[in-house]
Amino acid sequence: MTRPYRQRVLALTPCHHLESRWAALDIHEQHRCVRGPETGMAMVRGRMGGTGNAFNFGEITMTRASVALDDGTLGHGWVRGRDRRHAELIALVDACAQQAGLVRRIDDELIAPLQDALTTREAQASRTAAATRVDFFTLVRGE
């Protein structure tokens, strides 16, 4: 599993789900905050039609954090919104996932189940949106 993939899954997972799954792993690495958690703004870019020219869509609030394990391994976390605990927890998981003895366990017991839950939520949201779809059509008068 790649680091950006892990970061995506962790950032899209609600903090309370991540905390409960992390607690179940029973990994207790000593760490200290190197930066943050701190909240700021980030520019969101979009593309016309998904493939056209890029444009600045707007700004969103983001929170970031960086932690260091006792052995010096750095981990970074970013999350949309103001949840400082979520950003710090993502940074801690990121740092622990760089440890050879923990990476497989984190990927198998934490990231994979969170990805499955994320896929389920996305499918449910898709079904909900599809149920509200409206097809418009035009009637032509026969003159």
Side-chain angles (χ1 to χ4, degrees), residues 9 31 58 70 80 110 122 124 136:
V9 172
H31 68 283
D70 283 347
R80 182 182 64 209
L110 179 69
E122 288 172 348
Q124 179 60 37
F136 293 95

Side-chain angles (χ1 to χ4, degrees), residues 17-136:
H17 286 123
L18 179 55
E19 280 184 321
S20 65
R21 285 281 187 180
W22 181 249
L25 282 179
D26 200 33
I27 296 174
H28 300 287
E29 289 287 328
Q30 293 298 318
H31 68 283
R32 63 183 172 80
C33 285
V34 176
R35 178 179 60 195
E38 56 192 11
T39 301
M41 302 294 282
M43 181 61 67
V44 177
R45 302 206 22 116
R47 292 194 174 271
M48 298 297 287
T51 59
N53 293 333
F55 64 95
N56 291 337
F57 186 73
E59 292 180 331
I60 62 169
T61 305
M62 291 194 70
T63 303
R64 69 180 180 182
S66 296
V67 301
L69 301 181
D70 283 347
D71 68 359
T73 304
L74 290 174
H76 307 283
W78 301 266
V79 66
R80 182 182 64 209
R82 298 177 179 272
D83 194 340
R84 299 164 66 89
R85 173 66 182 144
H86 195 178
E88 184 179 346
L89 192 54
I90 291 171
L92 176 59
V93 173
D94 181 51
C96 290
Q98 295 176 55
Q99 304 292 317
L102 296 175
V103 66
R104 175 156 294 183
R105 188 164 171 225
I106 288 172
D107 286 347
D108 293 344
E109 298 177 33
L110 179 69
I111 303 299
L114 292 177
Q115 175 59 47
D116 292 343
L118 181 61
T119 302
T120 303
R121 281 194 310 275
E122 288 172 348
Q124 179 60 37
S126 248
R127 284 192 298 275
T128 301
T132 62
R133 181 178 173 179
V134 177
D135 290 322
F136 293 95

